[in-house]
Amino acid sequence: MGSTARGAGSSGAPHPIAVNETVIAMLRPKPNLAKLADDPAEVRAAAQAVVDAPAGIGNIASYWTEVPLAATGMWNAPGKGGAQADIVLTGPQDKVPLLFIEVDNCHETAEELADKLEKYARFFRRKVKDTDGRERPMGRTRWAAPDSGSGDRTHPPVLLVFNHIGERNPVIATVTGACWIWSSVCGRSSARLPSGSLPVAAPRRCRAGFR
């Protein structure tokens, strides 16, 4: 995590804490039952339920936080107009080759969140010359992933995570010139999405806001 966000997290800033909690929720670390032998029965039962639950995705090395997505500039010196991914996950061993995660504490308006998605799209569309001299999407010079359900390697999916803080606004405003394609985290469709679409995974209640 970048130094600014780490310093904010140490003082109790809610967004860095929510980002860390999201990583933990996706990792699903298993408790050591042997160390809970002397704990109350309800504690041991809760720990056993976690152990019996499905495994999480990847390991701690699979996650990067506060990653600048340079719509302009370069990786080490990103320019203005780009987004900063809260989390980037690479877990090919768990069939999640590349996933961007945006954590929202529900303080942002629908328009502000839609603007962030547009910045993601700007980054995904940007192409630069790779080390072999060929032009490729900038993200593919750093992360490798197979073709996705969108039929477009340029646009990996973005997962929206809504934290239980603030007043919830589940509708994402339509943004002119952008094509959002929603998919529910409760049952993703296997249909191929139109080329050039930005695949966004969000709770079912949010789907009506995507166009």
Side-chain angles (χ1 to χ4, degrees):
M1 181 177 287
S3 57
T4 301
R6 183 172 62 244
S10 66
S11 63
H15 187 262
I17 291 174
V19 170
N20 289 341
E21 289 175 343
T22 301
V23 172
I24 293 170
M26 299 191 72
L27 279 172
R28 295 184 182 178
K30 304 293 185 181
N32 186 338
L33 296 178
K35 293 184 177 181
L36 302 176
D38 296 329
D39 283 79
E42 61 270 20
V43 173
R44 286 184 278 112
Q48 184 64 58
V50 174
V51 171
D52 295 338
I57 300 173
N59 53 56
I60 193 62
S62 304
Y63 295 81
W64 289 266
T65 60
E66 309 296 339
V67 181
L69 305 180
T72 60
M74 301 307 294
W75 288 113
N76 58 350
K80 295 181 179 180
Q84 181 164 281
D86 290 331
I87 304 169
V88 179
L89 164 62
T90 55
Q93 69 274 30
D94 293 313
K95 298 181 180 180
V96 185
L98 181 61
L99 178 65
F100 292 80
I101 303 172
E102 187 66 27
V103 181
D104 177 29
N105 278 343
C106 301
H107 292 312
E108 294 179 314
T109 66
E111 291 78 9
E112 288 172 330
L113 190 52
D115 182 62
K116 277 190 177 180
L117 293 177
E118 172 59 25
K119 289 178 179 179
Y120 272 91
R122 282 191 67 196
F123 170 74
F124 293 155
R125 290 193 297 263
R126 185 183 179 189
K127 294 186 178 182
V128 296
K129 281 191 176 181
D130 207 343
T131 53
D132 60 2
R134 295 183 178 181
E135 196 174 63
R136 289 187 174 87
M138 188 174 186
R140 298 299 176 178
T141 67
R142 184 171 182 177
W143 300 290
D147 193 5
S148 67
S150 68
D152 189 341
R153 290 172 58 95
T154 308
H155 297 74
V158 178
L159 170 65
L160 298 182
V161 175
F162 295 103
N163 193 29
H164 296 286
I165 296 178
E167 193 171 327
R168 190 171 297 271
N169 185 346
V171 177
I172 309 304
T174 301
V175 178
T176 303
C179 180
W180 314 126
I181 297 293
W182 69 270
S183 60
S184 170
V185 294
C186 300
R188 185 173 64 86
S189 171
S190 61
R192 294 178 68 83
L193 305 177
S195 180
S197 299
L198 176 63
V200 177
R204 288 185 183 275
R205 69 171 69 187
C206 300
R207 65 187 186 185
F210 292 96
R211 301 289 185 269

